[in-house]
Amino acid sequence: MLVKLAAIFFSMILVNNYVLVKFYGICPFLGVSKKLDSAVGMSGAVIFMATAVTFPLQIFVLNPAGLSYLQTIVFILVIAVLVQFIEIFLKKYVVALYNSLGVYLPLITTNCCVLAVTILVVDDYGADVEALGFGAAYIEALICAIGAGVGFMLAMVMFSGVRKRVEACDPPAPFKGLPITLLAAAITSLSFMGFGGIVENLFNVTL
């Protein structure tokens, strides 16, 4: 069980990274990664948001009531409520982080990366509830969500360092600004392709 959970965790960080592999959440990835503190703060918000509320809501409320087709709307509403609580907390107790995140904090509500975590985790592990029981499936879902959040943090922190190096360089005029930033993001994403075999073999160990 522990090996399987480790495989899920590292798979979400390295092989199925939501930013560098699936290309979700590009807006905050490009917008907030200029500063390391805001990058870590944004990723922390993503970790906090993912799945803990929406997974049991889907299993115990939407599915039994036949309202699965409302999944996207309900999840966005839940995320919006959580974002409001986070925003109130940061504004009162962590003012520096609140100011650093700026407009990107309320935009978490419609961030496709956060929504993708909640929906895909339900799709991937919701079917395991009957076979494994809710407790085991919920733990797997939470590990997957945490791995996705840590992967988001890793991508943000890595790209924050990359952008600092890029800004210190003097690229040709056509590549300055957004073009060189997108090229740097593409090269960074390529670096994660080499991890595929490692996690695949780790999964094979559990079989």
Side-chain angles (χ1 to χ4, degrees):
M1 182 65 177
L2 290 178
V3 175
K4 184 178 180 181
L5 293 178
I8 293 172
F9 181 74
F10 288 108
S11 174
M12 297 309 301
I13 296 175
L14 302 175
V15 179
N16 297 314
N17 189 287
Y18 273 75
V19 178
L20 296 178
V21 176
K22 298 181 181 293
F23 300 104
Y24 294 132
I26 296 299
C27 175
F29 176 65
L30 296 177
V32 189
S33 60
K34 286 185 177 181
K35 296 182 180 180
L36 186 59
D37 56 348
S38 57
V40 175
M42 181 66 182
S43 62
V46 174
I47 294 173
F48 179 80
M49 298 286 295
T51 306
V53 176
T54 54
F55 188 84
L57 184 65
Q58 176 76 30
I59 300 300
F60 294 118
V61 179
L62 297 183
N63 288 347
L67 298 175
S68 299
Y69 61 93
L70 295 177
Q71 179 190 68
T72 301
I73 297 175
V74 172
F75 283 13
I76 289 177
L77 291 175
V78 170
I79 292 170
V81 171
L82 292 175
V83 166
Q84 289 301 313
F85 282 119
I86 292 174
E87 187 172 6
I88 292 171
F89 176 82
L90 293 181
K91 189 174 182 179
K92 186 172 183 180
Y93 297 105
V94 194
V95 180
L97 179 57
Y98 174 81
N99 294 331
S100 179
L101 289 173
V103 69
Y104 292 98
L105 181 57
L107 283 178
I108 296 175
T109 301
T110 54
N111 184 350
C112 63
C113 184
V114 180
L115 184 60
V117 170
T118 57
I119 292 177
L120 294 179
V121 166
V122 167
D123 292 342
D124 291 341
Y125 299 99
D128 292 342
V129 173
E130 292 185 6
L132 303 175
F134 175 78
Y138 189 47
I139 290 174
E140 290 184 358
L142 289 179
I143 294 297
C144 180
I146 293 172
V150 173
F152 193 93
M153 178 181 69
L154 178 64
M156 297 277 279
V157 172
M158 282 182 59
F159 198 60
S160 175
V162 170
R163 292 189 74 166
K164 289 181 179 179
R165 296 291 297 270
V166 169
E167 290 174 0
C169 298
D170 186 23
F175 288 95
K176 289 184 178 180
L178 184 60
I180 192 67
T181 300
L182 293 176
L183 284 172
I187 295 172
T188 303
S189 67
L190 287 174
S191 66
F192 278 68
M193 294 181 64
F195 293 108
I198 298 175
V199 178
E200 182 180 350
N201 291 331
L202 187 58
F203 269 117
N204 290 335
V205 172
T206 65
L207 298 178

